[in-house]
């Protein structure tokens, strides 16, 4: 059993009882990386020297009795769109291949305050645009459960690293499902918090009204610890919510007696693999056996979610990526005039998927099309949110599959962007509504992990975590590890 298989509180117990040191943890994670990274390719940048130096400082704190951080000594990987002072941050794009930030994202500062150790930056779809991690401009990540399959995206590196034992936990970003879908494909726990609960300061923006940072972990308890450490108001983020942060860890009571669960018929309908559907229904029986009750409901505007999302997200991407012009930083083409400089820098720096979304978003925002597309999509977004509001008037959580299928083969959909977009059909509505959701392993189909998505009311992560934890305590899916 690897040290990285222990729960967070078990690791802390061993540290304080002097059964192991922080340096032992760092040694173990880099040993795992040395054995497995060539196959999985989850990382873009590693900081072994920095991690070992930090481990030595924390070991000194352990000896002096000053070890108090909630994530003390835990090796963590960060998605490569979260800026880290002095550590290369590329967004998996050639445009930023040599970008070394001069400041930390707020979540990085919070991890440092919690005394976690950053070991490196994780591979992703370029600028978080993709659902399979094949859009990285460096190399694709491979699913640890089957190296011929995708890990999901855009946080594919973040999910694969946890599944492969190459980090104790990781942070990813979720715009339309980019934490939850790869968590499902890789058999780990992935949490998208309520929009505004975790600061976006220092997260390179894709779609600002949707982006949210969250943890990927081996189990729900660890997810609660990480969320406890990174949640909270940040004056540096204008969309940060001023809400009280509850004790997420104490919410893990294991009690779901009387919990009211809504199961949308749209989430188990056409396009959802039969084995995936059966696996999730069996998971609902586990919760039913623990005293929860569930009923079928309808979220009628689900069918419009994908079209709505890609209009809004692409429009925001078009605006956010305007800063990458070849003048201020990043890729700069050798060109004779300003217009050619813009054109050539972007042509050389951006990949096909990024260009596709910039063009779609620019079109939707252009004169004569704004009202017909962008404004209409905003109105439909409101209807989708109202669907969730109405269901939550009667129910505590909404449950369904995280993804309609298990992980597909590398290259199978790379030339079919519309099919690729539809892989997020069950996660996108949640992002549009801005509510929290977690994906937990609930079984296997064809030898590949299946994720169950538990969706909660805005800022009610406690109920989401409590439900996920209760299910996890009565199953062992999360304990299974891929045989690399």
């Amino acid at each position: 059993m690897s040290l990285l298989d222990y729960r967070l509180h078990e690791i802390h117990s061993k540290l304080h009882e002097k059964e192991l040191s922080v340096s032992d943890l760092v040694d173990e994670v880099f040993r795992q990386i040395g054995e497995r990274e060539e196959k999985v390719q989850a990382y873009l940048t590693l900081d072994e020297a920095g991690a070992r130096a930090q481990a030595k400082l924390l070991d000194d704190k352990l000896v002096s009795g000053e070890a108090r951080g909630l994530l003390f000594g835990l090796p963590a990987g960060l998605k490569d769109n979260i800026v880290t002072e002095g550590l290369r941050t590329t967004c998996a794009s050639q445009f930023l291949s040599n970008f070394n930030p001069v400041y930390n994202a707020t979540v990085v500062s919070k991890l440092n305050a919690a005394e976690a150790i950053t070991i490196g930056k994780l591979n992703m779809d370029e600028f978080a645009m993709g659902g399979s991690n094949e859009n990285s401009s460096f190399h694709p990540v491979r699913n640890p459960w089957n190296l011929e399959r995708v890990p999901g995206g855009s946080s594919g590196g973040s999910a694969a690293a946890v599944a492969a034992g190459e980090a104790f936990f990781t942070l990813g970003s979720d715009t339309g499902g980019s934490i939850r879908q790869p968590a499902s494909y890789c058999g780990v726990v992935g949490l998208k918090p309520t929009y505004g609960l975790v600061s976006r300061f220092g997260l390179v923006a894709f779609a600002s009204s949707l982006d949210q940072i969250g943890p990927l972990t081996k189990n729900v308890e660890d997810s609660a610890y990480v969320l406890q450490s990174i949640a909270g108001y940040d004056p540096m983020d204008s969309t940060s919510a001023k809400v009280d942060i509850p004790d997420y860890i104490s919410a893990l009571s294991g009690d779901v007696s009387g919990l009211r669960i809504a199961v949308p018929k749209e989430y188990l309908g056409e396009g959802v693999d039969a084995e995936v559907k059966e696996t999730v229904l069996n998971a609902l029986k586990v919760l039913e056996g623990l005293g929860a009750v569930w009923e079928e409901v309808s979220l009628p505007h689900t069918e419009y979610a994908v079209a709505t999302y890609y209009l809004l997200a692409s429009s925001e991407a078009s605006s956010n990526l305007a800063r990458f012009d070849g003048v201020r930083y990043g890729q700069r083409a050798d060109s004779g005039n300003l217009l050619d400089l813009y054109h050539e820098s972007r042509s050389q720096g951006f990949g096909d998927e990024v260009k596709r979304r910039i063009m779609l978003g620019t079109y939707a925002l252009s004169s004569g099309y704004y009202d017909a597309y962008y404004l209409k999509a905003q109105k439909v977004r409101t209807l989708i949110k109202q669907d969730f509001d109405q269901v939550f008037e009667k129910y505590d959580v909404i449950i369904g599959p995280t993804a309609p299928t298990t992980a597909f083969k590398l290259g199978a959909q790379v030339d079919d962007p519309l099919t690729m977009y539809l892989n997020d059909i069950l996660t996108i509505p949640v992002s549009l509504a801005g509510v929290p959701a977690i994906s937990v392993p609930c079984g296997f189909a064809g030898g590949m992990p299946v994720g169950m998505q538990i969706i909660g009311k805005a800022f009610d992560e406690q109920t989401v975590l409590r439900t996920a934890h209760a299910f996890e305590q009565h199953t062992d899916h999360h304990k299974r590890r891929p045989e690399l």
Side-chain angles (χ1 to χ4, degrees):
M1 182 175 179
S2 167
L3 288 174
L4 276 74
D5 288 326
Y6 287 100
R7 294 174 181 269
L8 183 151
H9 76 269
E10 294 172 328
I11 290 289
H12 278 181
S13 176
K14 289 180 178 295
L15 286 170
H16 288 292
E17 291 172 9
K18 307 298 189 291
E19 292 181 24
L20 61 87
S21 66
V22 178
S23 295
D24 291 334
L25 287 174
V26 173
D27 287 344
E28 177 68 3
V29 75
F30 280 107
R31 183 188 69 79
Q32 297 270 72
I33 289 171
E35 291 179 355
R36 302 177 175 189
E37 178 59 13
E38 187 176 348
K39 299 175 184 176
V40 179
Q41 298 188 307
Y43 285 91
L44 291 176
T45 303
L46 286 167
D47 184 20
E48 185 169 356
R52 292 191 183 282
Q54 183 65 14
K56 187 178 184 306
L57 291 174
L58 293 180
D59 279 333
D60 292 341
K61 280 192 171 186
L62 201 58
V63 171
S64 64
E66 298 176 61
R68 297 188 179 90
L70 198 58
L71 304 175
F72 182 85
L74 299 181
L78 306 178
K79 188 175 179 179
D80 205 24
N81 60 348
I82 299 171
V83 301
T84 42
E85 183 179 0
L87 185 60
R88 189 177 71 144
T89 301
T90 71
C91 293
S93 175
Q94 294 303 314
F95 215 113
L96 294 176
S97 59
N98 62 352
F99 175 52
N100 285 294
V102 295
Y103 69 99
N104 280 324
T106 295
V107 290
V108 178
S109 298
K110 284 178 173 284
L111 290 183
N112 291 340
E115 297 180 306
I117 298 176
T118 298
I119 57 172
K121 307 299 288 295
L122 291 153
N123 205 349
M124 56 184 284
D125 284 304
E126 185 180 6
F127 284 103
M129 298 180 190
S132 68
N133 223 140
E134 294 170 287
N135 290 332
S136 169
S137 71
F138 294 95
H139 50 76
V141 181
R142 296 178 180 272
N143 192 314
W145 289 92
N146 184 329
L147 296 174
E148 295 181 358
R149 295 181 182 267
V150 302
S154 62
S155 305
S158 300
V162 174
E166 295 185 342
F168 194 91
F169 71 89
T170 61
L171 292 186
S173 68
D174 192 307
T175 306
S178 291
I179 289 173
R180 292 160 287 154
Q181 185 242 39
S184 176
Y185 283 1
C186 292
V188 298
V189 174
L191 172 66
K192 183 200 86 72
T194 306
Y195 182 80
L197 183 67
V198 176
S199 172
R200 292 187 302 107
F201 178 73
L203 174 68
V204 179
F206 163 18
S208 301
S209 74
L210 295 158
D211 298 340
Q212 189 67 161
I213 298 171
L216 291 108
T217 59
K218 298 180 299 296
N219 58 72
V220 175
E221 181 183 297
D222 290 354
S223 185
Y225 272 94
V226 179
L227 181 63
Q228 196 77 58
S229 301
I230 64 174
Y233 173 70
D234 179 16
M236 300 294 287
D237 174 8
S238 63
T239 61
S240 183
K242 288 186 177 180
V243 294
D244 293 331
I245 304 301
D247 187 341
Y248 297 117
I249 301 163
S250 66
L252 309 181
S253 64
D255 181 17
V256 290
S257 179
L259 185 81
R260 298 165 298 173
I261 300 171
V263 180
K265 62 182 182 181
E266 293 83 3
Y267 285 28
L268 295 172
E270 184 180 356
V272 178
D273 179 81
E275 277 193 84
V276 169
K277 178 180 177 179
E278 182 182 1
T279 302
V280 172
L281 288 173
N282 288 335
L284 283 165
K285 290 177 183 176
V286 173
L287 291 170
E288 199 173 24
L290 296 174
V293 294
W294 66 274
E295 295 177 349
E296 187 178 88
V297 299
S298 177
L299 296 172
H301 294 96
T302 297
E303 64 177 301
Y304 307 112
V306 173
T308 299
Y309 169 83
Y310 278 98
L311 278 167
L312 296 178
S314 297
S315 296
E316 294 184 26
S318 169
S319 176
N320 279 324
L321 270 63
R323 73 192 71 177
F324 300 103
D325 53 14
V327 176
R328 284 163 282 194
Y329 47 81
Q331 174 73 32
R332 181 165 187 160
D334 184 11
S335 184
N337 63 70
L338 188 61
L339 290 180
D340 285 346
L341 171 67
Y342 292 159
H343 178 268
E344 293 301 324
S345 297
R346 291 180 161 216
S347 295
Q348 295 170 18
F350 289 143
D352 289 345
E353 183 60 29
V354 176
K355 293 174 184 174
R356 182 182 294 118
R357 298 199 194 191
I358 290 174
M359 291 173 70
L360 174 61
T362 303
Y363 179 83
L365 292 174
S366 62
S367 177
Y369 298 101
Y370 179 91
D371 289 351
Y373 295 109
Y374 180 79
L375 187 60
K376 186 173 289 185
Q378 288 285 30
K379 292 178 179 179
V380 177
R381 180 180 187 171
T382 300
L383 295 175
I384 290 169
K385 183 183 182 303
Q386 288 174 352
D387 285 349
F388 282 94
D389 292 342
Q390 289 168 10
V391 169
F392 282 131
E393 288 177 2
K394 185 178 178 183
Y395 299 93
D396 300 308
V397 293
I398 298 170
I399 289 181
T402 306
T405 67
T406 56
F408 49 90
K409 287 191 174 183
L410 285 157
Q413 298 180 12
V414 72
D415 295 322
D416 188 355
L418 290 179
T419 300
M420 184 80 77
Y421 295 168
L422 289 171
N423 290 313
D424 293 332
I425 193 169
L426 304 178
T427 53
I428 280 173
V430 180
S431 296
L432 291 171
V435 294
I438 194 169
S439 177
V440 293
C442 68
F444 290 79
M448 296 300 292
V450 174
M452 175 173 66
Q453 183 175 211
I454 303 169
I455 306 162
K457 302 171 186 176
F459 301 107
D460 190 16
E461 277 78 4
Q462 286 175 293
T463 301
V464 171
L465 289 164
R466 175 166 60 91
T467 305
H469 182 257
F471 172 77
E472 190 180 77
Q473 295 309 295
H474 292 83
T475 58
D476 61 359
H477 311 300
H478 64 287
K479 296 179 181 179
R480 292 181 59 177
R481 299 286 181 264
E483 296 180 5
L484 275 165

